[in-house]
Amino acid sequence: TDVRVIDRDRDAVLPVYRFRGDLWVAGEPGARYAIELVNDSRERLLNVVSVDGVNVISGETASVDQAGYVLEPGQRYDVAGWRKSRREIAAFEFTSLPRSYAARTGRPDDVGVIGVAVFREREALVLPRPPLPPFPRLPPFDRSAPQSGSKPGPQMQEKSHRGGEPGPQLGTGHGERERDRVGTTEFERRSDRPDEIVRIRYDSRE
């Protein structure tokens, strides 16, 4: 999966910088952003996405065995917010660390990290499909706002501070509510271990 971070307010890809083996992007406080996923393979891929150590679909403390977005070959999708339901998200918005969703829910250790764990699909078997579980609901800490226009989406199915280095100044909060429809699908992972892990760190330019 090809992963890029998009500044939605400027409709621009944020440049990536390499520093001590890590990839970094510089965020602007108050700006909305999205994580662009592109499946450049010839098979379906499951992308388990986390921001600040929190799964963007379920709101759980991130783990690679959680729900993610399934993309078809060649499909592109912008993960633009914390999922509130199958029809709605709360937009990702760069904010001060204390106002980040992770810090406000007592999980500040991984603030400043965007993670994508990618899984390949096991060859399909013809078996009856069990009923899908109810969709998980994120805890509160969003703000009310008008809804924006809708767009089609895909189907749904990692500490950042290093010793002796200053912690991040920027985190991700809840922005406005937006329409963003997705569906559900069955996906059997080829392995319990990700086939690829993409990690991008972010902070203010300063």
Side-chain angles (χ1 to χ4, degrees):
T1 299
D2 187 20
V3 181
R4 301 192 299 179
V5 181
I6 311 296
D7 182 325
R8 298 177 61 200
D9 295 331
R10 297 187 295 118
D11 192 24
V13 177
L14 293 181
V16 176
Y17 305 94
R18 289 187 176 271
F19 180 70
R20 295 185 180 177
D22 291 323
L23 302 178
W24 290 82
V25 294
E28 185 70 28
R32 299 176 306 151
Y33 75 90
I35 304 161
E36 181 190 70
L37 306 176
V38 179
N39 181 356
D40 52 7
S41 76
R42 296 183 179 181
E43 60 185 319
R44 295 203 311 168
L45 296 176
L46 168 65
N47 301 266
V48 181
V49 183
S50 64
V51 171
D52 296 352
V54 178
N55 183 285
V56 302
I57 291 178
S58 68
E60 300 171 284
T61 299
S63 174
V64 297
D65 61 356
Q66 294 168 345
Y69 290 102
V70 176
L71 271 63
E72 299 290 337
Q75 186 177 7
R76 170 187 176 275
Y77 177 62
D78 287 351
V79 182
W82 310 99
R83 184 148 296 281
K84 309 300 291 184
S85 70
R86 291 175 187 163
R87 298 183 177 184
E88 195 175 53
I89 59 171
F92 292 144
E93 186 175 276
F94 288 125
T95 188
S96 63
L97 189 153
R99 293 181 58 84
S100 68
Y101 175 61
R104 294 177 71 184
T105 54
R107 299 171 290 179
D109 290 343
D110 287 318
V111 170
V113 180
I114 295 168
V116 182
V118 184
F119 293 86
R120 299 174 66 187
E121 188 172 20
R122 186 181 298 277
E123 293 184 7
L125 300 175
V126 181
L127 296 173
R129 292 186 175 183
L132 292 167
F135 190 84
R137 299 188 65 178
L138 279 175
F141 294 112
D142 59 291
R143 68 179 188 223
S144 299
Q147 295 178 341
S148 66
S150 63
K151 65 176 183 179
Q155 297 171 314
M156 295 182 302
Q157 214 334 67
E158 133 192 348
K159 282 194 180 204
S160 63
H161 312 333
R162 292 185 174 181
E165 293 186 8
Q169 301 302 306
L170 206 60
T172 298
H174 281 224
E176 297 181 349
R177 292 285 193 102
E178 300 179 6
R179 291 193 181 277
D180 188 277
R181 296 178 65 93
V182 294
T184 57
T185 188
E186 295 291 330
F187 187 98
E188 185 176 359
R189 305 170 194 223
R190 185 171 299 186
S191 170
D192 292 335
R193 301 180 63 180
D195 293 284
E196 179 185 15
I197 293 179
V198 179
R199 180 164 50 187
I200 300 174
R201 298 178 184 272
Y202 70 87
D203 205 347
S204 62
R205 186 170 298 278
E206 290 75 18

